Amino acid sequence: MTQGNGTRDGRPLADVSALGPGGHAVVVGGGLAGVTTALALADAGLRVTLLEGRPRLGGLAFSFQRGDLTVDNGQHVYLRCCTAYRWFLDRIGGAALAPVQDRLDVPVVDLGRAEGNRLGRLRRDALPVPLHLGRSLATYPHLSLAERASVGRAALALKGLDLADPALDTQDFGSWLTAHGQSARAVEALWDLVGVATLNAVAGDASLGLAAMVFKTGLLSDPGAADIGWARVPLGELHDRLAREALDSAGVRTEVRTRVTSVSANERGGWSVQVPGETLEADAVVLAVPQREAHDLLPDGALDAPENLLEIGTAPILNVHVVYDRKVLAAPFLTALGTPVQWVFDRTEASGLKEGQYLALSQSTAQNEIDEPVAVLRERYLPELERLLPRARGAEVKDFFVTRERTATFAPAPGVGRLRPGARTKAPGLYLAGAWTATGWPATMESAVRSGVGAAAAALGALGRSRGLLPDFFEEAA
Ligand SMILES: Cc1cc2nc3c(=O)[nH]c(=O)nc-3n(C[C@H](O)[C@H](O)[C@H](O)COP(=O)(O)OP(=O)(O)OC[C@H]3O[C@@H](n4cnc5c(N)ncnc54)[C@H](O)[C@@H]3O)c2cc1C
């Protein structure tokens, strides 16, 4: 970076002196929360500078090259009920590249039976809630008749919970399930099957409030709410390339490889944002960085209890990547019971692989495996894949590697709700965004986008700007 209003490559930064009142916003962090905030502020007419420390946008949802293969750091899915992320995809022109399946359909293979693998399906009908899942549940082979009936009763009890009740966040989901008659098998074969993937915690470690939110919104709100969407292209195509194009056309000045080192009040009632070799002056600053970085950047007094941010735990996700010399999985994805394998996705087309098949195994709640050597994981997972996918038995493994995200999500533990701050801080003009802020959602792309819209709404309101251009879920998000 150069001194003054210029960047490392010599291009001028936003000319702050030429701006009208309340004109320049700096967004720190180019993950989905930061990109969303920057787009929403620019759409409302502000001059916006987005600063990202890494060489790319997309934060925790990104791609990289491994030879000819384009690899996602971790398989990402979303649900039809993720209205904010779907707005984001539309806004960057990427909706067609990450479509939602027509109707929820999840193959679930049980490897734990003596008589051999058994396939079940979690599917929905075109019936109203909760009947849309009734037939699937009634025929779900991985639970006994009594367990299926009891799951139905628990689902209805869950539907009756008031998500606004803060007491829900003090209890754990596992105890609630036990109290509502759920057997260990029902937890494993149904509640954790969905909950581990969406919350990144087993039921016993998850806040009842967050779990109830996920199940009520995904399975008990609208018949199509849980239909699954995923990118048919590398994540970087959406969250980096298309996001960058959208930011450019919205007039946002985007600087990557630009790490913010401090944020402090300036003498004009605004904020000075320090990056190596330069200070940017801003009327509003949004910190869209992970909680620990936000804690370190927040000036004294900005939050009543800044130490809360350091108390928010984190949870890892491991992805195991296997390239076979032939097709071994016919479905686009499946999930499994009775094996360490959780979800398996076919990433062949998205990765650019021309021959054979590339599978990505998404392993949530990976606390026990995240630091295991690749050789150990290979020894564990290749035989499991052979058990799961008979066609893998004769296939040659062309490549095997893993990606480890040690702080993939915040830990959705009971009590986390009181630690998550909202978008506004006590410092006027300084806002927070990020999947970890108080959106009501677990650490997801949906939560990140919601938080970004919420921060933009708060900043626009304080600057006296119209919020009319924000997407219609902003009232909720703000
Ligand atoms: C392996 C994996 C699988 C996942 N699966 C799913 C899934 O299936 N579905 C789903 O919805 N979600 C999933 N998630 C979660 C989802 O990716 C995140 O919740 C979301 O991307 C978080 O976005 P964010 O913008 O809040 O934060 P981040 O993505 O963490 O972005 C913060 C950005 O701030 C930057 N930054 C930090 N400090 C500074 C600084 N000082 N100056 C400048 N920049 C800075 C960082 O480099 C980063 O780019 C998954 C996450 C992982 C890791």
Side-chain angles (χ1 to χ4, degrees), residues 210-300:
L210 278 173
M213 191 272 161
V214 164
F215 282 96
K216 278 187 78 161
T217 311
L219 295 177
L220 301 166
S221 61
D222 181 83
D227 300 342
I228 296 177
W230 69 98
R232 310 313 201 261
V233 294
L235 287 174
E237 184 67 11
L238 301 172
H239 300 159
D240 188 16
R241 193 183 72 74
L242 286 181
R244 181 65 191 250
E245 275 179 23
L247 290 161
D248 286 351
S249 24
V252 174
R253 179 96 218 179
T254 303
E255 298 297 335
V256 294
R257 294 193 173 87
T258 303
R259 180 155 286 274
V260 170
T261 52
S262 75
V263 176
S264 53
N266 66 22
E267 65 287 351
R268 295 188 304 146
W271 295 97
S272 296
V273 178
Q274 191 71 46
V275 297
E278 180 167 357
T279 306
L280 282 78
E281 306 300 334
D283 303 286
V285 173
V286 179
L287 297 179
V289 297
Q291 60 268 32
R292 189 160 285 276
E293 283 83 344
H295 174 270
D296 294 349
L297 288 174
L298 278 171
D300 286 347

Side-chain angles (χ1 to χ4, degrees), residues 28-34 51-54 58-61 73-77 258-260 288-290 293 297 317 319 405 408-409 434-435 443-446 448:
V28 185
L32 296 182
L51 303 172
E52 164 56 48
R54 294 195 182 125
L60 284 166
N73 68 315
Q75 176 63 44
H76 278 64
V77 306
T258 303
R259 180 155 286 274
V260 170
V289 297
E293 283 83 344
L297 288 174
I317 299 179
N319 270 245
E405 291 289 354
T409 66
T444 50
M445 301 187 288
E446 176 71 9

Side-chain angles (χ1 to χ4, degrees), residues 26 32 34 62 92 103 111 126 133 139 173-174 181 188 199 204 212 249 283 308 320 363 372 379 390 415 424:
V26 170
L32 296 182
F62 69 97
I92 62 168
R103 212 174 258 192
L111 274 67
L133 294 173
T139 56
F173 186 42
E188 183 210 355
L199 293 161
S249 24
D283 303 286
N308 281 354
V320 174
Q363 301 290 118
E372 296 261 45
E379 284 279 297
R424 289 180 187 81

Side-chain angles (χ1 to χ4, degrees), residues 352-368:
L353 184 75
K354 296 284 176 279
E355 269 175 41
Q357 191 173 35
Y358 161 28
L359 303 183
L361 278 59
S362 181
Q363 301 290 118
S364 299
T365 59
Q367 284 83 350
N368 294 334

